[in-house]
Amino acid sequence: MEKKDLVIRIAGEGGEGIISTGDFIAAACARAGLEVYTFKTFPAEIKGGYAMYQVRASSETLYNQGDTFDVFCAFNGEAYELNKHLLKPGTAFVYDYPGGDFEPEIPEGVHAYPIPMSKTAKGLKQYRAKNMVAMGAMSVLFNINEETLIRVLTDKFTSKGEEVLRLNLEAFELGKKMAAEQSKTDTYRVADAQEPKDVIIISGNDAVGLGAVIGKLDFFSAYPITPATEVAKYVSTHLPKCGGVLVQAEDEIASLAQVLGASYAGKKSMTATSGPGLALMSELLGMSTMSETPALVVDVQRGGPSTGLPTKHEQSDLFLAIHGGHGDSPRVVMSVEDVKDCIDMTVDALNIAEEYQTPVVLLSDGSLAFSTQTIPRPDPASYTIVDRRKWDGQGEFKRYLFTDDNISPMADPGTPGAMHIATGLEHSETGAPNYGPVAHEANHRKRFNKIAPLVDKYKPTEIDGDPDEEADVGIITWGSTIGVAREAIARMREEGIKVKGFYPKLLYPMPVKQYEDFAAKCKKILVPEVNFQGQLSHFIRAETSIKPIPYTICGGLPFTPIMMIEKTKELL
Amino acid sequence: MSVAAFNQVEMKPKDYKSEVPTTWCPGCGHFGILNGTYKALSELGVDPTKFVNISGIGCSSRMPYFVNSYKMHTLHGRAGAVATGTAVARPDLAVCVSGGDGDGFSIGGGHMPHMARKNVNMTYILMDNGIYGLTKGQYSPTSRPEMKAYTTPYGGPEEPMNPLLYMLTYGATYVAQAFAGKPNICAELIKGAMEHNGFAYVNIFSQCPTFNKIDTIQHYRDLVEEVPEGHDASDLGAAMELARRPGGKAPMGLLYKANKPTLRENLDKIIEKVGGHADYDINQIIARSKP
C-alpha cells in the first residue's frame, strides 16, 4: 500500500536552525496544497540543548503528529544518540557527514544519506547555513516541492538583504547537488503538489490569540509562563489593531485580578497561563464565581507538580481546573482538541463567560501549544459573538437578582440608577453581605444551576463511529489526545476491530447522560490521557455509572496512534 | 483620575453616603477618612455613577459599602490589581482603592510597586492603623515593635516599613500623607489625588481604638507635622528626605507630584501607532498566517 503521509524529524542543537528548517518545510508543503501537522520539543534552556521538529505532511487530513518518523535528519551527535534507537529497518537517515561531530553506526536496513552539512557551510564561510544544506538535500531526496520551498526561503530572507539570501540559496543548491549524487534507496516521498487550498498554518497558541481577536476581546492581561506565552505575544501584536489593550501583569494573581476589574467595568477580558499560574489564580476564580464576573482563563497545560516539566506536554490540570480553589466554586471547564478548536473554542469560551457570567477555564496543552497545523482559513464573520445580559433600566436594579434561568442582568459602571457592589462575600440579591444559611444555599443553587444547561446547549459530545452500533471498546479521551484516538480508531476499523470514540469538549458541567449513552453500547471503556492519575477516568467514575479502564502516560510526550491501537487490542 | 467624572453633579458630602450602616467600632479613625472622601467627592462634583470604589479585605475594605457609587469588594491584597484592570479598561471612570496596611503592604505587597511604576490612573487610599483589625489584632507591616499584639505577646520582632518611601521609590506620581483626626486635610489630599492624572497614593494614619493600644489618636496627633512651607513637591529627593521622618516626625501633606503619561495613555499611543480601531478587518490578521 502506498504511504499517504510522510513524517520527517529534524533534530540538533538549539540555535542550529532546527525550528526554522521545520517551519520552512511545513510552509512549503502547505503551499503545495498538502495537509501539515508539526510537532516540536525544545529545551528549557535559552541557548543550546536538544531541539526537535517533526513535520508530518499528507494529501489527506491529519489529526496528530504520527507514530514515529520515516525520515530522520540529525544535525549533531546528541540528536543521533537520542534518536538512534528509533532508526529501524526501513527508516531513512540523513546526517552530517563527513565533517560533523559524530560518526554513526548505520543499523541494518536503514537508508543512510551522509550529507556534509557543516563542511559545506564552512566552505561558504556561512556556518549558519548548515540547515540550508540539509534542506536542499531533503528536498531532492524526499520530493519536497522545490519551487514552493525556494519561494518560502526567498520570502524569509529577502528582508535580511540580498547577500544573505544569495548565500542561503547557494547552500540550498549545494545540498541538492550532494543529495543528487547519492543513490536513493528508500521509497519515501512527500506527496506531489495538490491544488492549493484556502488554508492558514498556525500554532495552537497563536490560534488561541486569533480566537480572542475574532471573539472581540477588549482586555488581556497575563504573566509570561511556558508554554502559554505565545498567546500573549500574538495578542500583543494584533489586539491593539482592533483597539483592545494588553497589560503584562506582575504575576498570575494580578493578571486574573485585572481581568476581573476590566470585566466588571464591562469589557470582554481574558488571560492565558499554564498550570502553576492557574494554581495561583484559584482564589480569584472563586471570586469570579461568587461575584458572577465573566472571565476566561486559558490554561496551556505542562508537566507538574511544582515547576515540573516546564516545556513538556501533559494533560494533568483537570482536577485543578474543575475543583481547584476553596468552597463550592463552579466554573465552566472546556478543552480543545486541535488548532482549529483553539480558535473556535476561544470564541465559544468568551461567549460562555459573558452569557453565564462565570469563569471559564479553557484547557489547551503543551503539545498543541507549538504544534502548527494547516486549517481552513477562518471567516471572522461566521462566528457568533455573545455579550452579557444588560439591565433594561426598568424598576430597581439588583445585581444578583434571582431569575428563572439564574442569570441576573448586569450594569456597567457609568449606567445611571444601577450602582451596586460586586462582591466576593456571600450576599443578598442587592449585593449586601448576607451570611445566612438561606442566602448561601440559594446562591449556591443559583451559581451551579445557571451553568448546568450547558450540558445540553453546548455542542454535543462527538461520537466517532455509528452511535447505534455495538463496540468491543469505546475510547473516551480529551484534549489533543483526541486527535490520536481519531487516527487509531480509523486504522483499527480498517482492520475490522469494533471500536468507537467519544470526545467531550465540555468537561464541566459534565454531560453525564451522553457519557452513559455512549458507554451503554461499548463492552469496555478505555480512557487514554497524558497524566499519572487518570484524571478524566476519576471524574467518569465519580459522576457516571461507567467503570473506565484508565490508560495513562506521563513522560512529557503525547500518545502516538500505535500506542493506542496496541492498548486497545489488549482489551479485545 | 478621570476628569470625565468631575463637575458632573452638585451633591453634598452626605449625598454620597450609601444606605448601608457603617460597621466600624466607635472611635475608629476610618470614619474621618470616610467623611474626608465624601467631602472630596462633593467638592469635585464626582458623578457617583462614574466612580468605582474598589477594596480588598479588612476593616478599611468595607469602605465601598458605605459610599454611594459603583464598587467592588474583592480579595485580600488584590484590590489594587483589580482596580488596575478597571482603570485601564475604562479610562472614562474615576477609580479609587480603599485599603489597609496589611491588605496593601503585606499580602498585596507584590502589586504596590507595579501600580506605581505603571502609573495607573487611580487613587489609592491606604488607611494605616498599624494593626489587623478584622482578624482581631495581629501586628501589621506598619506596626511598631513596641506593640504587643495578638501574635506578638512579647512585642514585635520586626521593624515597620515606611509606606511613603516605598511609594516614592517605585515611582508613584502623587504621594501624600494625612491623619484621620484631621478630616479637612484628608479631604484636601484625597481631592488632590483624585484630580491627579496618574497613580496617586495617600497614606492616612487612622487610630484603631479597639486593638492598637499604642497608636492612639493622641500618638498620631503628636507624630504628624505639616509638610514645611516652601517644600517643593516636584523635588523627589526632598520628598524622600521628608518621608524618612527627620526629627522623628511624620510629614502631613503633599510630598510629591509629577506629571508622566499614564499606563492607559501609553497603551493608547500603541493603538494609535498601529491605527487600531474596533472595526479593524480581522481578515488582514488572518492573512498573516497563510503558508
Side-chain angles (χ1 to χ4, degrees), chain A residues 104-419:
Chain A
E105 286 173 30
I106 308 299
E108 185 78 26
V110 168
H111 306 279
Y113 301 103
I115 303 288
M117 307 171 193
S118 302
K119 210 175 142 188
T120 310
K122 267 183 205 155
L124 287 171
K125 294 198 167 38
Q126 193 71 3
Y127 187 75
R128 291 181 62 177
K130 182 174 166 182
N131 62 336
M132 292 296 128
V133 181
M135 211 173 349
M138 285 193 287
S139 76
V140 168
L141 288 168
F142 309 110
N143 188 43
I144 302 167
N145 193 284
E146 191 190 326
E147 188 195 329
T148 51
L149 200 46
I150 288 180
R151 250 190 2 243
V152 171
L153 294 179
T154 309
D155 290 353
K156 170 80 181 181
F157 288 112
T158 299
S159 64
K160 300 193 173 177
E162 266 180 40
E163 182 61 9
V164 175
L165 174 64
R166 190 190 63 75
L167 277 166
N168 276 289
L169 289 178
E170 193 178 337
F172 181 82
E173 287 299 325
L174 286 171
K176 272 172 55 189
K177 186 163 157 277
M178 285 160 204
E181 287 164 4
Q182 306 254 355
S183 63
K184 168 99 170 160
T185 56
D186 70 278
T187 57
Y188 295 123
R189 61 199 311 272
V190 170
D192 287 332
Q194 314 263 310
E195 186 67 31
K197 297 177 190 138
D198 192 10
V199 297
I200 58 170
I201 184 164
I202 188 167
S203 71
N205 276 348
D206 284 359
V208 169
L210 177 54
V213 171
I214 291 175
K216 299 284 179 202
L217 186 75
D218 297 304
F219 181 90
F220 185 100
S221 174
Y223 185 75
I225 183 168
T226 306
T229 311
E230 288 74 18
V231 178
K233 181 179 189 297
Y234 191 94
V235 172
S236 63
T237 306
H238 300 300
L239 190 62
K241 295 176 189 170
C242 307
V245 293
L246 174 134
V247 178
Q248 180 168 302
E250 55 271 24
D251 55 41
E252 287 90 348
I253 296 172
S255 66
L256 186 52
Q258 290 177 10
V259 163
L260 295 187
S263 181
Y264 172 73
K267 298 294 181 181
K268 210 168 269 194
S269 308
M270 72 177 274
T271 180
T273 189
S274 188
L278 186 67
L280 285 174
M281 290 173 188
S282 51
E283 190 189 16
L284 280 148
L285 282 173
M287 164 89 198
S288 171
T289 296
M290 182 60 107
S291 64
E292 305 197 44
T293 308
L296 169 59
V297 180
V298 175
D299 173 19
V300 186
Q301 300 166 92
R302 67 189 217 186
S306 189
T307 311
L309 316 175
T311 61
K312 301 292 184 192
H313 171 67
E314 208 165 85
Q315 303 175 279
S316 52
D317 292 344
L318 190 59
F319 287 164
L320 174 63
I322 293 180
H323 284 164
H326 57 286
D328 296 303
S329 74
R331 78 281 304 244
V332 176
V333 179
M334 309 170 32
S335 76
V336 293
E337 168 189 348
D338 57 15
V339 164
K340 184 170 186 304
D341 264 357
C342 288
I343 301 174
D344 297 351
M345 291 185 68
T346 299
V347 180
D348 291 347
L350 282 168
N351 285 342
I352 288 170
E354 289 288 313
E355 181 170 356
Y356 295 90
Q357 301 172 24
T358 181
V360 178
V361 179
L362 181 64
L363 296 169
S364 177
D365 57 52
S367 169
L368 266 182
F370 308 115
S371 166
T372 51
Q373 294 167 29
T374 43
I375 58 168
R377 187 175 56 81
D379 174 12
S382 69
Y383 290 84
T384 305
I385 307 297
V386 178
D387 290 318
R388 59 188 67 174
R389 184 181 302 175
K390 291 279 175 64
W391 180 52
D392 63 5
Q394 302 300 305
E396 186 194 353
F397 177 78
K398 287 181 176 172
R399 172 63 191 96
Y400 301 108
L401 182 73
F402 287 104
T403 61
D404 289 344
D405 62 3
N406 299 298
I407 299 169
S408 314
M410 293 184 83
D412 296 345
T415 310
M419 287 174 292

Side-chain angles (χ1 to χ4, degrees), chain A residues 27 30-31 199-202 210 213 219 234 238 240-248 250-251 253-254 257-258 261-262 264-265 267 283-284 287 377-378 380 412-416 418-425 433 435, chain B residues 48-50 52 62 64-65 68-76 78 81-86 88-90 93 110-112 114 117-118 263-264 267-268 270-271 274-278 280 282-283 285-286 288-291:
Chain A
R31 281 195 195 185
V199 297
I200 58 170
I201 184 164
I202 188 167
L210 177 54
V213 171
F219 181 90
Y234 191 94
H238 300 300
K241 295 176 189 170
C242 307
V245 293
L246 174 134
V247 178
Q248 180 168 302
E250 55 271 24
D251 55 41
I253 296 172
Q258 290 177 10
Y264 172 73
K267 298 294 181 181
E283 190 189 16
L284 280 148
M287 164 89 198
R377 187 175 56 81
D412 296 345
T415 310
M419 287 174 292
H420 66 275
I421 191 155
T423 175
L425 280 177
Y435 316 139
Chain B
T49 68
K50 292 189 172 170
V52 183
R62 293 302 172 100
Y65 286 99
N68 183 18
S69 73
Y70 277 92
K71 49 217 170 185
M72 253 184 132
H73 185 206
T74 70
L75 301 176
H76 198 29
R78 311 304 165 206
V82 172
T84 297
T86 308
V88 170
R90 287 283 304 275
L93 299 173
H111 304 306
M112 300 299 275
H114 304 285
R117 72 175 182 83
K118 287 173 194 258
L263 176 59
R264 177 68 205 211
L267 290 167
D268 281 341
I270 293 170
I271 293 172
V274 298
H277 56 88
Y280 187 85
I282 299 167
N283 286 303
I285 295 170
I286 295 170
R288 294 169 63 99
S289 295
K290 282 191 172 170

Side-chain angles (χ1 to χ4, degrees), chain B residues 45-63:
Chain B
V46 173
D47 177 353
T49 68
K50 292 189 172 170
F51 181 61
V52 183
N53 195 359
I54 296 175
S55 67
I57 299 297
C59 292
S60 59
S61 295
R62 293 302 172 100
M63 171 85 106

